[in-house]
Amino acid sequence: MTTTASPYTVRTAHTADLTPTELHAIRALLDESFDGDFSDEDFEHGLGGMHALVQDDAGRFVAHGAVIMRRVRHRERWLRAGYVEAVGVLPDVRRTGLGGRVMAELERVIDRAYDAGMLSASDEGAALYAARGWQVWGGRVCALGPEGVVRLAEEEGSTWVRAALTPSLDPAFELVFDWRDGDVL
């Protein structure tokens, strides 16, 4: 899907449909957006799902986000969660609505394809998610690791859920995420 609102074009594409050149440009955008604090594992976590890409009229990627599938156990049920990753906007175009345009595309995918929407927000990104109706998860956050369920107390307070999809989520019950290399969330 592609939409244009001059001078920006927004499109969605699966990782499999991105060229190596595009993936390299996305990685460079994220490195600049995160001021060099975006690891190889962070990039890897954003691959394998749908990407929302914003390009300016010169073809430069200026904003990006991805939604990938994560398995999350809640109340003895494993959910298919659309997990938002790698949301970044270049510094010279921040506060122009591009982050919102990225999130609108990712939310469209989440709402149509997943049981729940979730993400882990930085302090800088929290305002964007709050303004779009996402809510901080008020319960425990855990991961199913090689040694069993491990509590991730440092993720409590920065894990957000998409309120529109989550009326049945109860913070009295923990979220248990699937394990992955690097930072689990």
Side-chain angles (χ1 to χ4, degrees):
M1 180 174 165
T2 302
T3 60
T4 302
S6 190
Y8 301 106
T9 301
V10 181
R11 76 175 165 115
T12 55
H14 191 277
T15 301
D17 296 322
L18 298 173
T19 67
T21 300
E22 289 173 319
L23 288 169
H24 181 74
I26 292 165
R27 176 57 195 258
L29 176 157
L30 293 167
D31 285 338
E32 186 173 346
S33 295
F34 286 87
D35 199 25
D37 190 25
F38 197 80
S39 72
D40 290 341
E41 289 167 337
D42 293 330
F43 187 64
E44 179 74 22
H45 292 171
L47 300 177
M50 293 297 293
H51 300 259
L53 306 153
V54 181
Q55 290 177 277
D56 64 15
D57 54 6
R60 173 181 72 139
F61 286 117
V62 294
H64 171 272
V67 61
I68 55 100
M69 205 225 17
R70 300 279 310 269
R71 297 299 274 176
V72 181
R73 190 182 75 197
H74 180 68
R75 289 181 146 181
E76 306 305 319
R77 179 174 173 236
W78 284 96
L79 304 171
R80 285 178 306 101
Y83 201 85
V84 175
E85 293 281 3
V87 176
V89 178
L90 289 179
D92 65 322
V93 292
R94 285 189 184 141
R95 309 283 181 252
T96 61
L98 297 180
R101 291 183 67 186
V102 165
M103 287 304 298
E105 287 301 311
L106 299 180
E107 290 163 355
R108 180 184 64 79
V109 171
I110 290 167
D111 292 350
R112 293 181 181 175
Y114 295 100
D115 298 320
M118 299 179 185
L119 58 86
S120 181
S122 66
D123 291 341
E124 297 81 17
L128 170 64
Y129 308 122
R132 300 194 58 79
W134 289 71
Q135 297 175 344
V136 174
W137 174 249
R140 286 173 46 126
V141 176
C142 303
L144 182 59
E147 305 297 320
V149 175
V150 177
R151 184 172 181 192
L152 303 172
E154 68 280 0
E155 295 296 333
E156 293 168 5
S158 65
T159 298
W160 293 64
V161 295
R162 180 143 168 79
L165 291 182
T166 57
S168 64
L169 293 182
D170 182 349
F173 298 88
E174 64 196 7
L175 296 176
V176 180
F177 287 86
D178 55 353
W179 189 264
R180 59 188 184 174
D181 291 337
D183 294 334
V184 176
L185 298 182

